Amino acid sequence: MKGSRYFYRISAPVSSFFALLSAALFACNALCVRLAVRSSTPATAALVSIATNFATLWLTAILSGSLSQLALGPALVFLLAGAFTPGLARLSYYEAITLIGITPASTITSSTPIFAAILAVPVLGERLSLRVALGTLLVVAGVWLSIRSPGTSSGPRSWAGVLLALNTALMAAISFILRKVGLRMLPDPLLASTITVTGSLAVLLPFLALQRRITPIRMDRSSLPWLIAGGLLTTGGFLSYFQALNLGEVVRVTPLSNTTPIFTVLLLRCFRKVETVGLAASLGAFLAVAGVVFVVTD
């Protein structure tokens, strides 16, 4: 007992660090995508990102020996989860970034735990509590402030971006539910994510081939470094999140890993030439994160 308490005292702050690191890395990835799509496309950014995740996660899974636990049943569940995210969800998210900007897009997509909590009621038999309802209201208020803040584009393009960001959150929530079902069968986050990314790549490649006129693959010398950097950052974000889960409790890791909008605001405050972010958008990001924390710590 004494040893387990000592391990908890050591692992808790370390897991918190890795959870925050994952949120920061995904925020940095959004910044890279914003810079890359100036001379590239969201489809290209999504493809490079997923391909990088695929190669890195498979290498890590092979070296760690996780493949020895592979079983057909949970593998099929994780492949199905990959049909939604990260591939198509990330494509939708990157499109949203180009239409409405980094802060509104990241704020809206941070509502993923809200959708997951609602979907968990009929799928996993979980309860919808008052905290979930209040947290949802905070997230909605934060999203509204972020969308309506000065400097955010308006008109059809803006609403298209909002819908794409909401689509990202919904697909991520569906994938999260499927992963949770799969992890009950095979509790290995690294192997789960490796198979999930494989499913994403299997769906993303034919989708981009069919939609190549609408979502073309295009890059040049100026966009390539940002695309590669974005892919490496998302891989680092995945691995940091897995490490956080391995060392800490879900109730501690989840709220910290969903602070990406806050890191996004801080980054844009430092790199004002990339995108301006006003007080209302900043407040919206903080409210949305507060709502997510309120829900996941229920």
Side-chain angles (χ1 to χ4, degrees), residues 179-190:
R179 289 188 213 184
K180 195 167 183 178
V181 172
L183 284 169
R184 289 178 176 178
M185 303 163 64
L186 178 62
D188 187 328
L190 175 58

Side-chain angles (χ1 to χ4, degrees), residues 107 142 261-262 265-266 281-291:
T107 300
I262 294 177
V265 169
L266 294 176
S282 301
L283 179 59
F286 278 87
L287 278 178
V289 170

Side-chain angles (χ1 to χ4, degrees), residues 58-201:
W58 267 104
L59 178 61
T60 305
I62 292 171
L63 294 177
S64 67
S66 290
L67 293 180
S68 62
Q69 303 181 56
L70 187 61
L72 179 60
L76 292 176
V77 175
F78 293 134
L79 287 172
L80 181 59
F84 296 96
T85 188
L88 295 181
R90 199 170 293 172
L91 175 61
S92 183
Y93 177 50
Y94 292 170
E95 291 280 5
I97 287 176
T98 63
L99 292 174
I100 59 177
I102 300 174
T103 303
S106 66
T107 300
I108 295 170
T109 55
S110 70
S111 63
T112 294
I114 302 294
F115 285 105
I118 295 172
L119 289 173
V121 174
V123 177
L124 300 177
E126 297 183 3
R127 62 187 179 86
L128 187 62
S129 66
L130 179 61
R131 289 180 67 93
V132 172
L134 293 176
T136 301
L137 289 177
L138 282 175
V139 172
V140 170
V143 168
W144 185 84
L145 277 174
S146 184
I147 294 171
R148 305 302 298 175
S149 64
T152 303
S153 59
S154 58
R157 282 174 57 87
S158 175
W159 286 111
V162 170
L163 291 176
L164 283 168
L166 285 172
N167 179 62
T168 301
L170 179 58
M171 285 196 293
I174 295 172
S175 181
F176 175 81
I177 295 296
L178 289 169
R179 289 188 213 184
K180 195 167 183 178
V181 172
L183 284 169
R184 289 178 176 178
M185 303 163 64
L186 178 62
D188 187 328
L190 175 58
L191 185 56
S193 295
T194 302
I195 301 173
T196 301
V197 168
T198 303
S200 279
L201 193 60

Side-chain angles (χ1 to χ4, degrees), residues 179-237:
R179 289 188 213 184
K180 195 167 183 178
V181 172
L183 284 169
R184 289 178 176 178
M185 303 163 64
L186 178 62
D188 187 328
L190 175 58
L191 185 56
S193 295
T194 302
I195 301 173
T196 301
V197 168
T198 303
S200 279
L201 193 60
V203 172
L204 184 63
L205 287 175
F207 179 84
L208 292 179
L210 291 172
Q211 300 290 319
R212 60 184 181 276
R213 292 185 179 179
I214 302 174
T215 54
I217 302 298
R218 185 183 70 249
M219 69 178 76
D220 57 20
R221 290 182 179 179
S222 62
S223 65
L224 186 58
W226 297 115
L227 291 170
I228 295 175
L232 293 174
L233 285 166
T234 55
T235 303

